[in-house]
Amino acid sequence: MKLASLKGPGREGTLCVVNRDLTRAVKAGPWAPTLQQVLEHWDELAPRLADCAQALEAGANRHAFDFQQALAQGHIAAPLPRAYEWLDGSAYLTHVARVRRARGGKVPESFYSDPLMYQGGAGAMMGPRDPIRVLSTEWGVDLEGEVVAIVGDVPMGATPEIAAAAIRLVTLVNDVSFRRLIPAELEKGFGFVNGKGANALAPVAATIDELGRDWHEGKLHLPLLCTVNGKRLGGPNAGVDATFSLPQLIAHAAKTRDLAAGTMIGTGTISNQDPATGYACLMEARLVEQVEQGAAKTPFLAFGDRVTLEMKDAEGRSVFGAIDHVVERYA
Amino acid sequence: MKLASLKGPGREGTLCVVNRDLTRAVKAGPWAPTLQQVLEHWDELAPRLADCAQALEAGANRHAFDFQQALAQGHIAAPLPRAYEWLDGSAYLTHVARVRRARGGKVPESFYSDPLMYQGGAGAMMGPRDPIRVLSTEWGVDLEGEVVAIVGDVPMGATPEIAAAAIRLVTLVNDVSFRRLIPAELEKGFGFVNGKGANALAPVAATIDELGRDWHEGKLHLPLLCTVNGKRLGGPNAGVDATFSLPQLIAHAAKTRDLAAGTMIGTGTISNQDPATGYACLMEARLVEQVEQGAAKTPFLAFGDRVTLEMKDAEGRSVFGAIDHVVERYA
């Protein structure tokens, strides 16, 4: 099934079930008011939501609304409008290698067995059409296109197998990054506080069974189409060149602590070795330009710039709907 | 007023108002079921809670229960049992200087103007009597005694003055750290994922007015008494040698993003230059021993070890109640 959240009445929104082609949706109802509540009572509530999804698919129209219209009108929040934990890995070492190469360095051997991961803020996620609001574009505003897993309770010390079984939903994230603030924070070693902004999720999150054959070995084998102002930035495949699977990243996060239901784990910026796939962030384009052409030419995002992130299956159907938003001045 | 949370029925617990000397408490009621809800509707609900606190102080006993008994029986959760954001600063550069000195280094000049801060997990806080559960004491289990502010909504770019006005509650935290896992994570630069465990909060959180003259310039001017197995580890004063105030740390965290109501901001391990004050973490004791005696003698925490953290005012009254817990094997 595919789940979304309408904005309001509270900060956690109102849970909705969406049909497979993202045209129609229905509120789950008072027994499942928010996605967080469902994640905490998954075994009890997920089957009821699945019934709801099946009825919707079969054409039941009672209380259903036009999902695309609600999306266009800005009524759709992130599927999980706020999360208690957001841990973002760095599964695609091609991305890391390009960054290091531009600095004249190499990827440390340990990165291939011990994943990079930072903890970020997710107390107020952006909806898929909400603007990226910044005080200044001097920060070096960039997108980062990733796949994210939303998990149930994961016990401390969980194996990747246990972690895989705890994945409840998968969706896309734009992990907005402020590139010019990151080097100083990396040097301090304490991770990113100022270097990362609020993140956006795709319109819907999907259960693993919705992903069919595109999901295997804990990876989603589909390209992530990224555009800036309508121009293709890239379409790297999330199943290609991923050193770590999502279950491995979840197990890393759970090494010394329980992860509470509703924790989100990201893959890190998707990146493929094949340069023809392009990029899921501007920085990589810039670093490649710097190495190959002597200077970065692709600019970071300016006010008014529009970013889209979307994944389509083999039949060309949007799996999660598109993140589609513009950069705005915070006021 | 002083607020606490009873465990259950949900993961956010049940909000209670506690009297000044922490002997009696009363459930706030269905209009204020959880602290998170109160933080989101502070202007409307805080005055009603204050009325409740006043009645309790005046001796109203209807529905009141014995707070100390509930605490002893393990029924008290962290005042905020889970938080969407937990950002921990490093205000006491004495602590940082001791770490660096042991490594033969100095504190970079920039640390005096640009605070160290990491984002940690707070999806499942420990209550004040809940055990510190770890899979292995080989991790180098340590306490970190700190003051923490719980804020209302803070807009992006807030000044320290705006940040100060957004502080709703203050309490203590034991920011449990796994010392032997930290060096490798510091080297990666992405902050602490495995190096920090779940944290414990003190039994109650207090509004600023409860702190009287002990709160000024955004700092709480009281010593934090820390013991391990009944033996004094230290009592550094949170108002002494703090390079950054809590409002300054909050403003740092809000530089590039909104902070949602319920965000927790920590001071970092309290540490004074005067060696007679002792320490609020074992690592500092070890580092000083290493420099002065050639080897660290104070061990990290072992299974069964008991840690207490408490602040008393000039009259000897416990301000927040004690964090008092033991290290247990996770099972």
Side-chain angles (χ1 to χ4, degrees), chain A residues 45-57:
Chain A
L45 298 179
R48 292 181 66 180
L49 290 172
D51 289 348
C52 198
Q54 208 175 355
L56 195 66
E57 216 60 58

Side-chain angles (χ1 to χ4, degrees), chain B:
Chain B
M1 61 193 168
K2 295 185 176 184
L3 301 175
S5 290
L6 274 165
K7 291 181 181 174
R11 298 185 189 209
E12 292 190 61
T14 301
L15 182 63
C16 297
V17 177
V18 186
N19 68 346
R20 210 155 276 152
D21 63 7
L22 311 181
T23 53
R24 289 181 314 121
V26 66
K27 285 186 195 176
W31 49 274
T34 67
L35 182 52
Q36 181 63 36
Q37 290 221 21
V38 169
L39 290 163
E40 289 171 21
H41 304 96
W42 185 261
D43 291 343
E44 179 197 341
L45 298 179
R48 291 181 66 178
L49 289 171
D51 289 348
C52 198
Q54 207 175 356
L56 195 65
E57 216 59 58
N61 257 315
R62 208 156 64 98
H63 308 303
F65 62 89
D66 183 329
F67 187 70
Q68 288 302 317
Q69 190 181 51
L71 194 53
Q73 290 173 342
H75 297 326
I76 303 301
L80 188 62
R82 53 182 183 174
Y84 286 102
E85 314 242 359
W86 159 232
L87 291 146
D88 196 14
S90 202
Y92 303 89
L93 290 177
T94 305
H95 170 83
V96 181
R98 285 188 180 127
V99 176
R100 302 263 163 165
R101 189 179 53 163
R103 291 192 210 140
K106 287 177 84 175
V107 178
E109 200 53 46
S110 65
F111 284 17
Y112 290 90
S113 54
D114 179 33
L116 282 175
M117 184 173 280
Y118 81 93
Q119 178 132 16
M125 308 286 295
M126 283 182 273
R129 296 292 181 275
D130 293 345
I132 300 167
R133 300 188 308 155
V134 296
L135 289 165
S136 167
T137 54
E138 290 299 306
W139 296 345
V141 184
D142 198 356
L143 60 143
E144 284 202 349
E146 313 186 7
V147 173
V148 60
I150 304 172
V151 298
D153 288 303
V154 179
M156 192 191 298
T159 59
E161 291 68 35
I162 291 172
I167 297 177
R168 301 286 175 255
L169 296 161
V170 173
T171 188
L172 305 177
V173 64
N174 182 6
D175 179 38
V176 175
S177 299
F178 306 134
R179 297 297 178 195
R180 294 202 182 95
L181 306 183
I182 283 180
E185 290 201 314
L186 271 179
E187 206 172 307
K188 292 198 284 184
F190 273 44
F192 314 112
V193 172
N194 298 154
K196 299 275 183 177
N199 300 318
L201 294 185
V204 306
T207 47
I208 297 283
D209 60 302
E210 289 291 335
L211 307 172
R213 284 173 305 178
D214 297 324
W215 176 270
H216 53 91
E217 284 136 18
K219 299 172 188 173
L220 183 50
H221 296 257
L222 287 173
L224 178 67
L225 311 171
C226 307
T227 75
V228 176
N229 295 328
K231 208 182 127 203
R232 179 184 184 272
L233 175 65
N237 191 308
V240 174
D241 299 327
T243 302
F244 303 103
S245 67
L246 275 163
Q248 285 174 314
L249 292 173
I250 296 163
H252 177 75
K255 230 167 162 178
T256 62
R257 54 167 147 164
D258 295 330
L259 301 178
T263 295
M264 301 197 314
I265 310 278
T267 57
T269 313
I270 302 166
S271 180
N272 293 165
Q273 284 182 40
D274 178 1
T277 60
Y279 314 103
C281 72
L282 295 165
M283 184 184 62
E284 259 185 79
R286 290 169 57 88
L287 294 170
V288 170
E289 288 161 359
Q290 198 179 305
V291 170
E292 293 178 359
Q293 302 170 46
K297 290 174 182 174
T298 304
F300 287 126
L301 297 173
F303 288 119
D305 279 355
R306 182 177 167 198
V307 170
T308 71
L309 302 173
E310 190 170 19
M311 252 183 189
K312 291 184 176 173
D313 65 16
E315 284 75 44
R317 288 177 305 200
S318 184
V319 181
F320 306 106
I323 296 173
D324 181 350
H325 55 176
V326 295
V327 180
E328 262 186 27
R329 193 180 294 275
Y330 182 91

Side-chain angles (χ1 to χ4, degrees), chain A residues 226-242:
Chain A
C226 308
T227 76
V228 175
N229 295 327
K231 208 182 127 203
R232 180 183 184 272
L233 176 64
N237 191 307
V240 174
D241 300 328

